Amino acid sequence: MPHIVIVGAGIVGLSIARDALKRGHQVTILEQSSVPNPHSASFDSHRMIRYHYGAFGGYTRMVTPAFDAWERVWSDLGHAHFENTGAVAISLEPNDYGEKTLNTFREVGQEHEVHDRAAMEALCPHLELPAHAWGVTGGRGGPLFAGRIVTELAQWVLEHGAVIRAHCKVDAVDLERGVATLADGGEVAGDLLVVAAGAWISRLLQERFGNSPTFRQGLCYVDPPATYVESWRQSPAIVAIGDHGGYTLPDRRGAGLKFGHGGHRKPAKPEEQGFGSDLAAESAIILGAFKPYLKEPEGYKPTRIQVGFYEMDSSRRFNLETHSHGIVVTNCDGQMFKFGPLLGERIMGMFEGRQSAADLRRWAAGY
């Protein structure tokens, strides 16, 4: 029975474990913290899935198979941790994210609808947009309830035979031999060693990833003005407003209304920065990016900052590095969650010879 050893119990590690177990393999998961790890990039109230990817048509094409993979997860868990609120990218100027998305939708044949400013403000009554603004919706989209997903996936893989070693620090990995060396000097060997350690990859593979760009991102949960509580709840997730890097997820199933702003991220490593936050200062930056487009902007009350770390280089493409008995999943850019189960299936398919490593790398990079 092949033995799959996985470093990291986020969405990627748990998804690989699930698929490996379904194929009859032995699975060991090594996680430096608790399982699930509340500080992992996978652990949040909700994360977004949508077809909107600007000019990255390869990722738009991957979303339908990703939804199919999630359906298989829901079948195993017994219920779905997703709500189809829809998603919208709002265009403010030529060739911005919304227009690039529209062009990609047309190119790949993705169903979509274009909304002028009046239609956008009817769809999102809490917004006040410039006269020239318009939006594009297309396909299913909305929140995946991430914390609940990784919690139940961890329980599922445990119940189906996985060995989960929590609070187990890995000091080194040998991807050619498939061996993980632990902080206590012990070793865990597998037929396949998967490193899915997220922002901690540079510590494990210092020579290869020590200088990889790692970022801290703070996401702001807010209480909206009473006038717009229900309109936010019933409106689609916002993928982008122009190119300013802002996005939102609606408050469904008690997850809370979340605002994110790409301009708020900064280079940092988790072991250096930690997970503390300054609610007043950080919320002022994040909400400040949205204020020009909000009705009653002063009525938004920040409640907490969710801090996460991830790797992201200028390519903005997932990177899979394959070795004799190992594979490294990197450069996840905060975008990996929606593709986790699909990637798990594809990695195990490669292990069983159903796809070449080169094809898998190209596919994961969105080409």
Side-chain angles (χ1 to χ4, degrees):
M1 178 187 299
H3 184 198
I4 312 301
V5 177
I6 302 163
V7 180
I11 189 60
V12 173
L14 292 171
S15 294
I16 294 168
R18 169 185 162 271
D19 198 64
L21 291 165
K22 291 171 74 73
R23 295 170 188 260
H25 303 323
Q26 179 185 356
V27 172
T28 299
I29 300 174
L30 309 174
E31 168 56 49
Q32 65 178 341
S33 183
S34 59
V35 178
N37 180 354
H39 292 316
S40 74
S42 297
F43 197 87
D44 196 358
S45 296
H46 43 13
R47 302 293 297 275
M48 191 190 303
I49 184 169
R50 82 290 180 158
Y51 283 88
H52 305 64
Y53 260 94
F56 286 66
Y59 288 119
T60 295
R61 292 186 182 95
M62 286 167 59
V63 175
T64 293
F67 270 117
D68 294 341
W70 280 113
E71 290 299 327
R72 293 185 282 274
V73 172
W74 309 147
S75 179
D76 286 345
L77 297 183
H79 43 261
H81 291 302
F82 165 69
E83 289 219 8
N84 182 24
T85 64
V88 62
I90 300 170
S91 177
L92 300 179
E93 58 188 29
N95 204 39
D96 64 5
Y97 193 94
E99 184 167 296
K100 289 175 181 175
T101 295
L102 176 59
N103 292 337
T104 295
F105 281 178
R106 289 168 173 165
E107 177 185 342
V108 306
Q110 170 61 42
E111 63 169 322
H112 64 275
E113 186 175 355
V114 176
H115 310 266
D116 63 16
R117 178 204 180 188
M120 276 304 311
E121 292 187 353
L123 190 63
C124 302
H126 39 273
L127 297 183
E128 189 167 38
L129 299 171
H132 57 279
W134 54 272
V136 56
T137 54
R140 291 173 289 174
L144 291 161
F145 299 99
R148 302 173 200 183
I149 290 168
V150 293
T151 299
E152 292 190 18
L153 267 180
Q155 186 63 33
W156 189 95
V157 300
L158 188 64
E159 291 173 352
H160 287 77
V163 174
I164 299 180
R165 299 179 61 174
H167 303 287
C168 180
K169 185 179 179 182
V170 177
D171 269 357
V173 292
D174 186 331
L175 298 163
E176 303 308 325
R177 296 193 301 129
V179 175
T181 301
L182 309 182
D184 63 7
E187 292 186 344
V188 182
D191 298 281
L192 178 67
L193 173 64
V194 182
V195 179
W200 288 268
I201 188 70
S202 61
R203 182 181 63 78
L204 283 179
L205 292 163
Q206 178 70 31
E207 184 174 342
R208 173 66 185 87
F209 296 105
N211 294 319
S212 294
T214 305
F215 293 87
R216 176 195 184 274
Q217 179 69 70
L219 304 170
C220 186
Y221 284 82
V222 303
D223 290 335
T227 310
Y228 298 115
V229 168
E230 195 59 25
S231 71
W232 273 110
R233 186 172 290 128
Q234 298 304 323
S235 295
I238 297 174
V239 182
I241 301 179
D243 275 335
H244 94 312
Y247 59 94
T248 70
L249 272 168
D251 178 13
R252 294 293 185 94
R253 303 188 191 183
L257 172 61
K258 180 168 72 176
F259 284 56
H261 175 45
H264 179 52
R265 63 174 171 256
K266 63 180 181 180
K269 294 184 182 295
E271 60 269 25
E272 299 168 354
Q273 184 73 30
F275 290 85
S277 62
D278 184 328
L279 178 60
E282 296 192 58
S283 63
I285 295 170
I286 297 167
L287 292 178
F290 288 87
K291 280 188 175 182
Y293 313 108
L294 297 176
K295 294 177 180 175
E296 298 185 32
E298 302 306 322
Y300 289 78
K301 306 301 181 186
T303 59
R304 68 181 179 92
I305 300 292
Q306 176 76 23
V307 175
F309 292 83
Y310 55 86
E311 278 199 309
M312 182 188 75
D313 67 19
S314 59
S315 75
R316 307 294 293 269
R317 296 181 183 274
F318 305 146
N319 178 33
L320 301 187
E321 291 200 358
T322 54
H323 300 261
S324 298
H325 288 88
I327 185 166
V328 182
V329 183
T330 64
N331 212 46
C332 293
D333 183 18
Q335 298 287 340
M336 177 56 80
F337 197 96
K338 66 182 71 62
F339 296 117
L342 180 61
L343 181 65
E345 294 174 359
R346 297 294 288 259
I347 286 176
M348 292 313 305
M350 182 207 70
F351 176 71
E352 295 188 344
R354 301 180 186 182
Q355 182 178 24
S356 72
D359 284 346
L360 179 65
R361 290 195 300 269
R362 182 175 177 81
W363 170 82
Y367 291 111

